[in-house]
Amino acid sequence: MKAPGKLAALSLTALLVATACGNGGTAPAAQGPQPLRMSIWTSNEAHLKLFNDIAAEYRKSHPQVGKITFDPIPFENYTTTLTTQIAGGNPPDMAWILENSAPDFVGSGALVPLKSKIENVGELVPAATRLWEREGELYAYPFSTSPFGVFVNTDLVKAAGQKPPRELMKAGQWDWEHANQINKAIAAKGKNGLTILNFDYKAWDNLATIWQGWGAKAWSDDGGTCQFNAPEMVEAMTFVHKAIFTDKSMPGPGTAVDFFSGDTAMAVAQISRAAMLKDATFKWDLVPLPAGPKGKYAVIGQAGIGVLKKSPRAQQATEFLAYFANAANAAKLAAYFPPARTSLLTADTMAKTSPMLSGDQLQEVVIDGIQKGVVKPSHTGQAELAQTARAALDPLWKPDADVKAVLDGVCAKIQPLLGG
């Protein structure tokens, strides 16, 4: 991708370059077992228990390692908080890096090379490692390559007299038009229709789970040209705007919704969220994203785990990450986080570690999605881009918005940052 055109857009990259230039790992050796800290975004109890179990097993054979802490940071402030920690001289030893900031972290040289450390690195799916590589080296382990699917409250669908998505799939009718009809009918009965987790009218890149069905892109493949105002994006965003303000099939701005409490019909999310349905009081399903005008598609969210060079315990952290990412632990982690290892990407294998999901659900959403999906938008200087695009999109979330005019405004604001 091209570098952004403004120095302001390089703030994260500049910070990470400074981090890379620090003397991490060269400080005098500390005495006694050394603690390690990994920043993560999840605070789910099942996820944390699994992480802590892996860490406890590792420490049994590595007495030189002290307590291993997994430090949850709220998703909506994740990269900002992580950046603040780095700037404040309190970086974690390891960091869970979201796909939208991968170009900054990987390109800055702030991360420790991992390729020679990861067990059976050759079996990692190339599509899953692309974001985390530079000049043939791997700088973060693609911990979770997770396609988005649609969680469905089938009880609400049935109560509204609608055909469930799985039935529509068999009839070749699972598309955004039919999905919108279902959610419109459910909303008319006083419940919420479709929600996109973590969007909240702020994280606009999550809308890629819809606009990709129209063949829309935030910017060109080389990263240099804004495409928010291209015809495909205008059509996709017009669909979203109508769903929110005319059909009421999506909760509007300021509406608090929670699919997992049972008051929402559908939620676009990744399979790690299935853990939150363990004690669900309603029947549910997981299906692929609905087809768009351009046909079937899949969108992937990714997370990589990297070791920060500036950590005084970078070597110990690298060794632990190699253990955390080995084939045996990758199989355990696959219960919530789809692995990048080809040996584990089969419905039978994943069904053993993801008992809450059926073989069909895993094949349709996860395995097929990884094979054909595109990753959410990412670009060097993403933090500046994200803030600028978010502000420019704010006028869209009003009933009388001129969709094309708003999207023209988005391109006017972000084009200078794309370097085109």
Side-chain angles (χ1 to χ4, degrees), residues 246-292:
T246 302
D247 298 334
K248 311 294 184 183
S249 55
M250 291 178 64
T255 304
V257 297
D258 179 17
F259 174 83
F260 304 98
S261 67
D263 67 350
T264 305
M266 300 182 192
V268 174
Q270 293 158 294
I271 71 163
S272 58
R273 302 290 181 161
M276 300 175 70
L277 290 165
K278 181 179 179 182
D279 299 316
T281 57
F282 55 90
K283 293 180 181 178
W284 59 275
D285 196 0
L286 174 64
V287 297
L289 295 171

Side-chain angles (χ1 to χ4, degrees), residues 12-27 35-40 71 73 78-98 101-102 104-114 132 138-141 304-322:
L12 176 57
T13 302
L15 169 63
L16 292 171
V17 168
T19 298
C21 294
N23 62 347
T26 63
L36 297 175
R37 179 166 65 93
M38 181 190 296
S39 291
I40 59 176
D71 184 18
I73 299 173
Y78 183 81
T79 300
T80 300
T81 303
L82 177 58
T83 301
T84 301
Q85 291 180 357
I86 294 171
N90 182 37
D93 303 293
M94 298 160 282
W96 185 332
I97 301 166
L98 305 180
S101 56
D104 286 311
F105 276 89
V106 173
S108 67
L111 301 176
V112 173
L114 298 175
W132 314 102
L138 184 70
Y139 288 94
Y141 173 71
I305 298 177
V307 176
L308 289 169
K309 281 184 178 178
K310 198 172 184 179
S311 165
R313 296 169 292 276
Q315 180 177 343
Q316 295 96 321
T318 302
E319 292 170 356
F320 172 67
L321 178 53

Side-chain angles (χ1 to χ4, degrees), residues 66-319:
K67 183 177 181 180
I68 301 174
T69 301
F70 299 94
D71 184 18
I73 299 173
F75 181 86
E76 58 271 18
N77 300 316
Y78 183 81
T79 300
T80 300
T81 303
L82 177 58
T83 301
T84 301
Q85 291 180 357
I86 294 171
N90 182 37
D93 303 293
M94 298 160 282
W96 185 332
I97 301 166
L98 305 180
E99 74 283 306
N100 56 15
S101 56
D104 286 311
F105 276 89
V106 173
S108 67
L111 301 176
V112 173
L114 298 175
K115 192 170 185 177
S116 65
K117 306 295 183 180
I118 300 299
E119 179 181 285
N120 297 332
V121 71
E123 74 161 348
L124 297 181
V125 179
T129 60
R130 191 170 295 119
L131 267 182
W132 314 102
E133 292 177 322
R134 184 173 63 129
E135 298 178 354
E137 181 57 79
L138 184 70
Y139 288 94
Y141 173 71
F143 163 67
S144 177
T145 299
S146 187
F148 286 84
V150 181
F151 286 94
V152 182
N153 183 326
T154 54
D155 285 348
L156 287 184
V157 174
K158 181 179 179 180
Q162 300 294 304
K163 292 182 180 180
R166 191 158 295 279
E167 186 174 331
L168 293 174
M169 286 173 61
K170 293 177 180 178
Q173 297 178 327
W174 178 232
D175 53 37
W176 278 113
E177 180 181 352
H178 285 85
N180 192 58
Q181 291 174 1
I182 295 171
N183 289 303
K184 182 179 178 180
I186 290 169
K189 289 186 171 293
K191 295 292 186 178
N192 295 304
L194 173 79
T195 184
I196 301 176
L197 265 63
N198 299 320
F199 166 47
D200 193 28
Y201 295 88
K202 299 173 183 176
W204 53 266
D205 55 337
N206 284 320
L207 289 178
T209 56
I210 295 180
W211 78 48
Q212 192 66 36
W214 276 255
K217 301 176 182 179
W219 39 74
S220 56
D221 290 340
D222 66 1
T225 304
C226 176
Q227 292 193 346
F228 265 98
N229 58 356
E232 297 85 356
M233 184 68 84
V234 174
E235 291 177 12
M237 289 299 208
T238 297
F239 169 83
V240 173
H241 189 272
K242 181 176 181 290
I244 297 166
F245 296 105
T246 302
D247 298 334
K248 311 294 184 183
S249 55
M250 291 178 64
T255 304
V257 297
D258 179 17
F259 174 83
F260 304 98
S261 67
D263 67 350
T264 305
M266 300 182 192
V268 174
Q270 293 158 294
I271 71 163
S272 58
R273 302 290 181 161
M276 300 175 70
L277 290 165
K278 181 179 179 182
D279 299 316
T281 57
F282 55 90
K283 293 180 181 178
W284 59 275
D285 196 0
L286 174 64
V287 297
L289 295 171
K294 293 295 178 69
K296 295 181 179 180
Y297 67 102
V299 175
I300 297 171
Q302 274 199 313
I305 298 177
V307 176
L308 289 169
K309 281 184 178 178
K310 198 172 184 179
S311 165
R313 296 169 292 276
Q315 180 177 343
Q316 295 96 321
T318 302
E319 292 170 356

Side-chain angles (χ1 to χ4, degrees), residues 237-238 241-242 245 393-407:
M237 289 299 208
T238 297
H241 189 272
K242 181 176 181 290
F245 296 105
L393 281 168
D394 278 346
L396 185 61
W397 312 129
K398 298 177 182 178
D400 59 351
D402 182 329
V403 176
K404 178 62 164 62
V406 171
L407 297 179

Side-chain angles (χ1 to χ4, degrees), residues 6 142 183 198 287 332 354 364:
K6 285 187 176 181
N183 289 303
N198 299 320
V287 297
K332 298 175 185 177
S354 304
E364 296 160 353

